[in-house]
Amino acid sequence: MIELVNVEKTYHTSSGDIHALKRTSLTINQGEIFGIIGLSGAGKSTLIRCINMLEVPTAGQVFVDGEELTAMTETQLRKARQNIGMIFQHFNLLASRTVFDNIAFPLEIQGLGKDEIKKRVEPLLELVQLQDRADHYPSQLSGGQKQRVGIARALASNPKVLLCDEATSALDPQTTKSILNLLRDINQRLNLTIVMITHQMEVVKEICDRVAVIENGSIIEEGNMVDVFTNPQNQTTKEFVKSVDKNTLPESLKSTPVSREYFEGANLAVRLSFFSGNADKPIVSGMIKRFGVDANIISGNTDQLKDRIYGNLLIVIEGPQKALEDSLDYLNSQNLQVEVIGYVK
């Protein structure tokens, strides 16, 4: 659906060139929700604006729905952009127009008649649950309602792609969740391809199918959201995951000396990560019975990665060295993600 091939963007300034994007290649599939996460200044907003050519790449090619936008004339590009909706962090609504008229605005620009506009706008009001706000003005709306208007306006032209540039950053957590639920519903109902630009890992794990991490204008990690979240490879990605990971080491264990090698009388601290499919298996109790060890549960929690339950369990295994080694081999054979914290007193 969306393909970026060696896209570069360089800004020429009086103080020198700024390389906002560096030979970036990316493929986003039809109907998926794709997250692009990065810190401020990483290049994520430049990337999303290159997708709809609000920023013209310095080099490379941009394809949307099989058409190369980078090869189009301005007239062709204006028509192609009707297939790409966009919503923003700060809503960008017209203060002097009602909710209905804000949603109708792009249709008026396209030259549609009043009857056709009404036929398009009314179902959108229902979709974003603002039927009773059609005659209200932006000043009479909450932040979440304003973003719903922005979403409806972006959908007015029946686009195939919806670009979301920090669409929930200005909203409180509860409103953010309702907007993400709405976007998920729209994605499923309309088979709409959604690209989410964000610096919030919470947003990524709530809604995205796949994710790319951008840093200093380059994609440093990309993959299935669950894989990236549960097994991050890059240090920046690990920091993003840590920001929402509730399973940090307790202070009692942080203050305990940890060794990578066994020493006399040591116990083994491990973190087990699992999904709902193996959460009901008696793996720890089976280990205890099989190898004659004891296991102390230090902490545990469950979380949700989109529609999958994900759990963590931090345990300390007590027993002789051979029993600890056998227990670790057993855990590694049980379709779990096993992280060895180390040997502790």
Side-chain angles (χ1 to χ4, degrees):
M1 165 52 75
I2 300 171
E3 186 177 8
L4 276 60
V5 182
N6 295 327
V7 170
E8 299 182 21
K9 180 61 182 180
T10 301
Y11 296 101
H12 304 288
T13 71
S14 57
S15 55
D17 291 348
I18 299 173
H19 301 289
L21 285 180
K22 305 167 187 174
R23 292 184 65 81
T24 298
S25 295
L26 201 60
T27 299
I28 300 171
N29 301 318
Q30 167 68 39
E32 74 177 349
I33 303 178
F34 192 95
I36 299 171
I37 189 169
L39 298 171
S40 296
K44 56 188 184 296
S45 289
T46 300
L47 190 155
I48 201 172
R49 290 170 67 87
C50 283
I51 292 176
N52 61 5
M53 296 290 287
L54 289 178
E55 293 285 356
V56 179
T58 307
Q61 298 169 288
V62 177
F63 297 87
V64 176
D65 198 26
E67 296 185 312
E68 185 183 352
L69 272 57
T70 37
M72 290 182 176
T73 65
E74 191 59 40
T75 301
Q76 291 171 327
L77 193 54
R78 276 197 298 271
K79 190 172 188 309
R81 282 199 186 110
Q82 293 177 16
N83 287 323
I84 308 173
M86 190 166 186
I87 57 176
F88 307 88
Q89 177 180 356
H90 297 298
F91 321 128
N92 294 348
L93 302 182
L94 299 170
S96 61
R97 297 175 68 104
T98 65
V99 167
F100 185 101
D101 291 337
N102 264 282
I103 298 171
F105 186 63
L107 303 176
E108 293 174 11
I109 292 175
Q110 292 174 31
L112 272 64
K114 287 185 177 181
D115 290 343
E116 182 62 26
I117 288 175
K118 185 178 180 181
K119 193 183 298 183
R120 292 269 196 99
V121 172
E122 286 183 345
L124 289 171
L125 284 166
E126 185 175 348
L127 179 66
V128 299
Q129 300 168 8
L130 289 176
Q131 308 96 305
D132 59 343
R133 296 289 190 273
D135 296 326
H136 286 57
Y137 289 88
S139 61
Q140 299 171 296
L141 304 176
S142 67
Q145 289 170 335
K146 289 176 183 177
Q147 192 57 284
R148 286 171 183 270
V149 178
I151 292 169
R153 181 182 58 187
L155 298 177
S157 299
N158 294 325
K160 298 177 180 178
V161 173
L162 180 63
L163 306 180
C164 307
D165 191 0
E166 298 280 10
T168 60
S169 295
L171 305 175
D172 63 76
Q174 185 174 351
T175 306
T176 292
K177 192 170 185 66
S178 72
I179 293 298
L180 294 179
N181 286 338
L182 173 62
L183 290 173
R184 185 188 292 112
D185 181 53
I186 289 169
N187 165 257
Q188 293 171 351
R189 285 198 200 190
L190 307 179
N191 194 31
L192 190 68
T193 304
I194 299 179
V195 183
M196 301 283 298
I197 293 291
T198 184
H199 64 272
Q200 301 169 299
M201 195 66 188
E202 195 71 49
V203 170
V204 170
K205 77 183 187 71
E206 180 80 20
I207 195 173
C208 294
D209 300 304
R210 291 196 300 130
V211 60
V213 184
I214 187 169
E215 184 175 57
N216 296 324
S218 298
I219 301 293
I220 58 171
E221 192 160 350
E222 179 190 350
N224 177 280
M225 182 274 293
V226 171
D227 294 338
V228 171
F229 188 91
T230 58
N231 190 27
Q233 300 299 306
N234 186 278
Q235 185 56 40
T236 297
T237 313
K238 291 177 182 178
E239 291 300 319
F240 275 119
V241 171
K242 193 184 296 183
S243 69
V244 295
D245 188 1
K246 302 169 187 172
N247 197 45
T248 56
L249 290 178
E251 292 302 322
S252 59
L253 198 54
K254 285 181 182 178
S255 60
T256 301
V258 178
S259 171
R260 302 305 296 177
E261 302 294 331
Y262 177 81
F263 57 88
E264 188 64 32
N267 302 317
L268 180 61
V270 296
R271 178 186 281 124
L272 310 177
S273 300
F274 53 87
F275 286 99
S276 48
N278 54 15
D280 59 348
K281 296 179 181 177
I283 293 172
V284 174
S285 63
M287 175 192 73
I288 293 170
K289 292 175 182 176
R290 183 172 298 197
F291 304 107
V293 295
D294 289 325
N296 293 324
I297 297 176
I298 305 301
S299 65
N301 72 278
T302 58
D303 202 351
Q304 189 144 344
L305 303 183
K306 199 173 182 187
D307 53 359
R308 299 184 71 186
I309 300 297
Y310 171 66
N312 280 291
L313 198 62
L314 179 60
I315 63 174
V316 173
I317 309 170
E318 301 177 5
Q321 180 180 6
K322 179 68 165 60
L324 296 181
E325 292 172 351
D326 290 342
S327 295
L328 184 58
D329 289 341
Y330 170 76
L331 293 174
N332 280 319
S333 70
Q334 295 301 307
N335 196 28
L336 299 171
Q337 184 179 335
V338 181
E339 177 190 356
V340 176
I341 307 299
Y343 290 96
V344 299
K345 290 184 179 180

